[in-house]
Amino acid sequence: MDKPKQPFADGMPNLSEGHFVVPTTADLQVATLFTHAQRFLILYGSLRERSFSRFLAYEAARLLEAMGGEVRIYDAHGLPLPDDTTADHPKVQELRNLSIWSEGHVWVSPERHGAMTGVMKSQVDWLPLSEGSVRPTQGRTLAVMQVSGGSQSFNAVNGLRILGRWMRMITIPNQSSVPMAYKEFDEAGRMKPGPLYDRVVDVCEELCRFTLLTRERSVYLVDRYSERKGRVSDRLDAVAADIGFAKA
């Protein structure tokens, strides 16, 4: 391997040493573990009366509750399109408050035209990266699932993963894709037993584990060098504005 005999001997002149932090295992310790049940928000991407994504969302909710979690499921009926109204709309506020309450999410979308549905995307688009000092999604765990009417596909879950990363969420490795969903749910909307159902159990189990690992540590896990530097300049700009020296 080609490397200098004395690596880093020339220093790191571009690094702000005051904001540079060396991660250690000690930083992962928490003074007090949470005692409340894990909090999960489930979003699904269909408004149909017989909605297989809703059925799958309900199955996930049952499993998460059986694993000791507290679950809220958001109903997107009445949610306006992004930018079609202001963020003080009651359905938008309901969604944002649920996300702030949550410690983990489950996103379930049908696949339509090779992608997630507009209903699913609209819900995520109404969640801001930050709102003042509050970040409704950052540091929360995320599990992604999809249903489709045809053969097995992963287009929707792949798209949901991109969204999860963009929203700064901790997306778990496992996922569920249910092909020919009309065959996998009975008339009452319950998922039939079999390998596809077992995979849903796997996903919920993994989501619980990742949430237990990260929920007390989420602030530390998503702390960033660039943001620590940025917060200093923000404070200086605010002080300058207060004393009348704000930039024109």
Side-chain angles (χ1 to χ4, degrees):
M1 182 173 65
D2 183 20
K3 65 177 183 179
K5 293 181 179 179
Q6 292 181 315
F8 313 125
D10 54 353
M12 293 179 285
N14 296 328
L15 189 70
S16 173
E17 293 186 6
H19 303 100
F20 181 65
V21 174
V22 177
T24 69
T25 55
D27 295 324
L28 293 171
Q29 304 302 313
V30 292
T32 306
L33 291 172
F34 293 165
T35 57
H36 63 263
Q38 299 172 77
R39 298 169 178 171
F40 297 107
L41 170 62
I42 302 181
L43 309 179
Y44 61 91
S46 171
L47 302 179
R48 291 180 176 178
E49 183 176 350
R50 183 168 173 80
S51 164
F52 297 112
S53 63
R54 185 176 75 250
F55 294 161
L56 185 56
Y58 286 1
E59 293 295 345
R62 293 182 183 100
L63 288 164
L64 291 171
E65 286 186 344
M67 294 174 189
E70 184 179 355
V71 179
R72 309 280 175 85
I73 303 175
Y74 180 72
D75 179 2
H77 282 90
L79 180 69
L81 289 172
D83 302 325
D84 194 37
T85 187
T86 55
D88 59 359
H89 188 282
K91 290 296 293 186
V92 176
Q93 286 300 302
E94 178 190 357
L95 174 60
R96 293 185 178 186
N97 288 335
L98 284 172
S99 189
I100 292 167
W101 165 85
S102 71
E103 296 166 338
H105 284 207
V106 181
W107 294 351
V108 188
S109 180
E111 180 172 319
R112 182 172 298 166
H113 299 162
M116 75 186 77
T117 60
V119 173
M120 187 76 241
K121 183 64 162 54
S122 291
Q123 292 174 79
V124 180
D125 283 349
W126 271 119
L127 293 172
L129 282 174
S130 63
E131 192 170 28
S133 61
V134 177
R135 302 196 171 187
T137 56
Q138 180 164 301
R140 288 157 178 80
T141 53
L142 170 65
V144 295
M145 304 185 188
Q146 76 166 74
V147 295
S148 55
S151 58
Q152 185 132 50
S153 172
F154 301 96
N155 291 325
V157 287
N158 287 340
L160 291 172
R161 283 188 177 280
I162 292 172
L163 277 181
R165 183 175 70 242
W166 192 260
M167 303 303 288
R168 298 178 176 179
M169 304 179 79
I170 303 167
T171 308
I172 67 170
N174 216 336
Q175 62 187 27
S176 169
S177 174
V178 181
M180 292 183 282
Y182 58 91
K183 293 184 177 181
E184 298 300 327
F185 294 88
D186 63 22
E187 287 302 312
R190 295 303 308 269
M191 194 171 185
K192 299 175 183 178
L196 292 172
Y197 177 77
D198 294 347
R199 185 61 173 265
V200 176
V201 179
D202 290 346
V203 171
C204 292
E205 186 178 67
E206 190 170 287
L207 178 64
C208 281
R209 289 172 177 167
F210 271 77
T211 306
L212 287 171
L213 279 170
T214 61
R215 63 179 185 166
E216 294 97 345
R217 303 166 177 86
S218 61
V219 173
Y220 170 70
L221 291 173
V222 296
D223 183 49
R224 291 172 171 82
Y225 166 79
S226 60
E227 292 182 351
R228 290 194 296 273
K229 285 184 64 181
R231 283 195 292 268
V232 173
S233 62
D234 289 344
R235 286 198 298 271
L236 292 176
D237 288 345
V239 171
D242 286 342
I243 62 177
F245 287 97
K247 296 178 181 178

